[in-house]
């Protein structure tokens, strides 16, 4: 086998269900990011763990944001480096 020959990929193509699930996940997260923008979570760039956490949980909540869910992170207890 020379360097230019390729071994055919024997993995099966993703099924329609897998593609649909991936598309739904992307749409879910996009809706969550839109909700974070509408709630002005990106204004005054978050400079701490709580700000980043609030953006993350808002994005993960997705469409639930429009059903009354308002996730917020108030504190983050991050491990401190050893001395």
């Amino acid at each position: 086998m020379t360097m230019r020959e390729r071994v055919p990929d024997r993995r099966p193509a993703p099924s329609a269900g897998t593609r649909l699930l991936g598309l739904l996940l992307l749409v879910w997260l996009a809706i969550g990011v839109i909700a974070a923008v509408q709630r002005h979570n990106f204004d005054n760039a978050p400079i701490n763990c709580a700000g980043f956490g609030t953006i993350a949980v808002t994005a993960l909540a997705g469409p639930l944001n429009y059903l009354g869910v308002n996730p917020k992170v108030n504190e983050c207890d991050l491990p401190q480096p050893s001395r």
Side-chain angles (χ1 to χ4, degrees), residues 13-29:
S15 68
T18 303
R19 283 189 228 139
L20 180 62
L21 187 62
L23 180 63
L24 288 175
L25 179 63
L26 281 173
V27 169
W28 180 278
L29 291 175

Side-chain angles (χ1 to χ4, degrees), residues 20-52:
L20 180 62
L21 187 62
L23 180 63
L24 288 175
L25 179 63
L26 281 173
V27 169
W28 180 278
L29 291 175
I31 291 171
V33 170
I34 291 168
V37 169
Q38 289 175 341
R39 290 180 176 172
H40 304 286
N41 288 345
F42 292 102
D43 293 352
N44 302 328
I47 55 171
N48 59 17
C49 178
F52 289 115

